[in-house]
Amino acid sequence: MSNSTAYINGKVYTMEREGAMCSAFVVRDGKFIYCGTDDQARSVADETVDLHGTVVLPGLIDTHQHLYSYASNFEKLMLDHVRSMRELKDTLRDYAKNVPEGEWIYGFGFDNEFFTDSKAMPNRCDLDEACPKNPVLLSRSCMHFFSANSLALNAAGIDRNFKPEIEGNVRFDAEGEPTGVVCDAAGARLAALVPDKLASIEAKKNVLEKAIHELNEHGLTGVHPIQGKHVDLMEYMDAYQELNLEGRLTARIYLGYDELPNCCIRTGLGDDMVKYGFYKMYADGNFGGHTAALLKPFSDKPDTSGQANYTQEEMTARVRAAYERNIQVGMHVIGDRAADMFTTAIETVYQENPKPDPRFRMIHMSVLNEDIIQRIKKFPVIVDVQPMFIHTDMPWIEARVGAQRAPYVNPWGKLLREGIILTGGSDAPGTPHDPWEGIYAAVTRKNLSGAPEDGWYPENCISVYEALCMYTKSAAYSSYEENIKGTIKAGKLADFVVIDDDVFAMDPMKIKDIKVKYTYLGGKLVYERNKE
């Protein structure tokens, strides 16, 4: 029999219920076998580790990342630091000096809404000026919008006569010429032309291993990577499986794909380390590009209500196809029209054939209304939210939707009060993957600078316990794994994190600054701060 280890003298928040605590637990064979007192823990263990009063929580789970896309950014021109059009051009110009003429340049991470000189998306003229001799494609941080120069547009065959797959995916100027700003499927068309520096499975594994270690640094022991093939957000189950077989995988993976499997598999196929999760659909676009599908026009662009990617009949048919195969369905819904459509699809397929536990996942749910909230509470719906959208979207979102709809933007407090289950994610690399920043944003409804003073629509603030549940027990529930992880309890997987402060007792403004001391996966130390 393998040795057991007692961890004693801790402040262990088990997360089974609010305020539930113990001082010690015992780990054997990757699982908790006892949770309780120091003396009892010592008596059933072979060795003892003194926690010296530090705070312990279950390992955190991010329910929405584009993990391979984040990992692949190690090979791209990173633009997350630029704060002006001028700085973007200068950065691109300097980078191009070391790139052979004619070779593609692929950049990622700018957010024009934070530019100090112009809020406009970079267009082909801007990029031609900075880099006329290389095809250039730059992805906005939201991963839905791209900027391309003339050489890139020519390579993709995007000219004045081009007809995009979805209307609005390519912007044209007054003369009918493409501006260089594209989104979604048109952006993926361009991205497919960029030579893949990570073509081999070994290269993919190496960058994924590096990225996952960064997640461990923040206390993450689980992640739900999401593929969005139509917007060039790929995931590779074989890479995760091989990392696991080689002992190099240090987080549990629950994958979402935007393609239905072409063989007879269902949600949950795999093991405790790598599982097939759900079918991910994209109902609409986003707020940044006015492509979120709204019931009423945008307040700052009243000539459009955004775009839905499906008719109601098409969406319902796709949801039904997965539902009938016992495959969990997750839907990207930003606008209230998109949310209304998915709610209608859920109502239709569930009432046709009620199943005991389908756990539909509504992803983002950025703007809602009372009707949709009251409808979804009647069905087995989980809402996957990304709290750091408060930081990224707050400067401009009210202008998009107007004062009447603004209280229903990211209305987490309203949803929880209605008994709807929420989970927490980052949407990395669109926003940082640090869950402590997400927990801070959910609790305070403030940006990372601490504004506004009272929080943005503070009636939608949630408690620290509720926010932590989003990243622990509720996250585990969303993947049908609440019986094996998400809380610290005998019989569950020994995924836990030791932090440097008491998240329940500290000033909520400082939650974003929490540092992880140790991260354990299945009782194995996978991150130690003082060794970094």
Side-chain angles (χ1 to χ4, degrees):
M1 182 180 291
S2 59
N3 287 349
S4 56
T5 302
Y7 295 82
I8 65 167
N9 189 27
K11 197 171 186 181
V12 183
Y13 292 100
T14 69
M15 293 301 295
E16 290 198 272
R17 61 186 182 279
E18 188 166 7
M21 295 176 63
C22 64
S23 64
F25 54 88
V26 179
V27 175
R28 185 174 64 215
D29 295 331
K31 294 184 178 182
F32 299 113
I33 64 166
Y34 170 79
C35 302
T37 66
D38 291 354
D39 288 344
Q40 185 65 25
R42 285 193 194 94
S43 71
V44 299
D46 300 300
E47 55 188 22
T48 300
V49 173
D50 192 335
L51 293 166
H52 299 290
T54 52
V55 169
V56 179
L57 294 165
L60 304 183
I61 303 164
D62 187 317
T63 59
H64 190 92
Q65 280 198 23
H66 304 285
L67 184 51
Y68 178 72
S69 294
Y70 173 75
S72 67
N73 285 341
F74 297 144
E75 300 295 328
K76 294 175 185 170
L77 166 61
M78 290 304 296
L79 298 167
D80 53 335
H81 64 284
V82 302
R83 290 296 178 266
S84 68
M85 186 76 77
R86 179 177 178 178
E87 186 180 2
L88 183 145
K89 290 180 184 178
D90 288 344
T91 301
L92 177 58
R93 187 179 292 112
D94 290 343
Y95 184 85
K97 291 176 182 177
N98 298 310
V99 179
E101 183 176 333
E103 185 174 302
W104 278 83
I105 294 175
Y106 197 175
F108 173 81
F110 73 91
D111 187 343
N112 51 296
E113 294 291 347
F114 288 101
F115 285 3
T116 56
D117 52 0
S118 169
K119 304 295 185 186
M121 281 282 292
N123 60 37
R124 62 180 171 84
C125 297
D126 297 318
L127 303 188
D128 287 348
E129 176 191 335
C131 186
K133 296 182 179 180
N134 301 81
V136 175
L137 180 65
L138 306 181
S139 172
R140 190 177 181 273
S141 60
C142 67
M143 300 173 289
H144 287 273
F145 271 80
F146 302 78
S147 296
N149 70 352
S150 294
L151 287 177
L153 292 172
N154 291 340
I158 297 176
D159 57 20
R160 64 183 301 119
N161 299 312
F162 181 76
K163 301 296 183 185
E165 181 180 343
I166 298 174
E167 185 178 355
N169 273 195
V170 176
R171 291 184 179 174
F172 297 91
D173 61 23
E175 286 72 44
E177 295 293 337
T179 65
V181 178
V182 301
C183 69
D184 294 337
R189 179 188 181 96
L190 279 154
L193 300 175
V194 182
D196 187 1
K197 296 180 180 179
L198 301 171
S200 72
I201 188 70
E202 288 303 319
K204 290 178 172 65
K205 285 157 53 179
N206 288 338
V207 294
L208 280 168
E209 182 179 28
K210 179 180 178 182
I212 292 168
H213 278 304
E214 289 190 7
L215 304 187
N216 299 149
E217 180 182 345
H218 297 291
L220 288 162
T221 57
V223 60
H224 297 187
I226 313 297
Q227 174 173 286
K229 187 175 183 179
H230 82 293
V231 288
D232 193 41
L233 300 173
M234 302 301 293
E235 293 293 343
Y236 300 93
M237 181 175 273
D238 54 346
Y240 294 112
Q241 289 173 318
E242 288 197 18
L243 285 173
N244 185 34
L245 290 171
E246 294 165 9
R248 298 164 58 191
L249 185 61
T250 56
R252 303 185 194 278
I253 305 296
Y254 185 81
L255 284 150
Y257 281 98
D258 60 337
E259 301 169 290
L260 273 175
N262 61 5
C263 57
C264 297
I265 68 171
R266 57 182 292 179
T267 289
L269 180 70
D271 57 26
D272 291 341
M273 288 302 298
V274 182
K275 288 183 180 178
Y276 170 72
F278 62 96
Y279 175 41
K280 167 71 182 293
M281 297 173 61
Y282 291 79
D284 62 346
N286 62 22
F287 277 127
H290 294 91
T291 54
L294 298 177
L295 291 168
K296 295 180 180 179
F298 283 91
S299 296
D300 61 349
K301 195 174 182 181
D303 61 333
T304 183
S305 299
Q307 299 158 351
N309 293 331
Y310 308 98
T311 66
Q312 182 65 67
E313 292 73 20
E314 289 169 340
M315 179 184 290
T316 301
R318 288 175 180 247
V319 171
R320 183 184 293 113
Y323 179 76
E324 292 299 328
R325 291 175 54 183
N326 294 311
I327 293 175
Q328 188 180 28
V329 178
M331 183 78 72
H332 164 113
V333 287
I334 298 290
D336 52 5
R337 176 157 55 103
D340 179 81
M341 291 175 67
F342 187 36
T343 302
T344 297
I346 290 170
E347 291 168 338
T348 301
V349 304
Y350 188 78
Q351 290 170 352
E352 287 173 351
N353 178 20
K355 293 190 175 186
D357 204 13
R359 303 190 193 185
F360 298 99
R361 295 173 65 157
M362 290 185 149
I363 299 167
H364 307 311
M365 290 285 274
S366 295
V367 62
L368 294 170
N369 57 44
E370 283 294 339
D371 174 66
I372 295 170
I373 292 172
Q374 294 306 313
R375 288 162 64 196
I376 65 175
K377 67 182 283 188
K378 300 174 184 177
F379 291 91
V381 168
I382 298 162
V383 179
D384 297 335
V385 305
Q386 296 71 45
M388 277 297 287
F389 283 5
I390 288 290
H391 173 74
T392 57
D393 297 359
M394 189 167 49
W396 48 266
I397 189 65
E398 193 156 349
R400 293 283 194 279
V401 301
Q404 186 175 357
R405 287 179 289 195
Y408 287 88
V409 173
N410 300 316
W412 307 318
K414 292 179 185 292
L415 294 172
L416 284 173
R417 287 191 292 273
E418 293 291 348
I420 296 167
I421 295 171
L422 305 188
T423 77
S426 62
D427 207 7
T431 56
H433 57 228
D434 185 347
W436 304 106
E437 292 181 349
I439 292 165
Y440 156 85
V443 171
T444 66
R445 304 271 299 184
K446 297 181 182 183
N447 66 19
L448 293 179
S449 299
E453 183 177 355
D454 296 324
W456 193 69
Y457 292 95
E459 68 271 19
N460 281 315
C461 291
I462 66 177
S463 72
V464 173
Y465 176 73
E466 289 169 332
L468 274 167
C469 282
M470 288 165 47
Y471 290 86
T472 54
K473 63 191 299 184
S474 295
Y477 178 84
S478 74
S479 58
Y480 297 87
E481 296 175 300
E482 68 272 20
N483 292 324
I484 63 169
K485 63 183 184 183
T487 62
I488 295 176
K489 180 180 179 181
K492 289 192 174 184
L493 297 166
D495 301 344
F496 61 97
V497 56
V498 182
I499 58 177
D500 68 348
D501 208 337
D502 188 340
V503 65
F504 287 102
M506 67 193 300
D507 179 354
M509 292 296 294
K510 296 181 179 179
I511 291 175
K512 65 183 184 300
D513 302 317
I514 283 176
K515 297 292 185 277
V516 170
K517 296 168 71 69
Y518 307 100
T519 302
Y520 288 82
L521 181 77
K524 178 182 177 182
L525 182 66
V526 294
Y527 171 76
E528 183 176 359
R529 183 170 178 77
N530 62 12
K531 287 193 175 182
E532 294 296 305

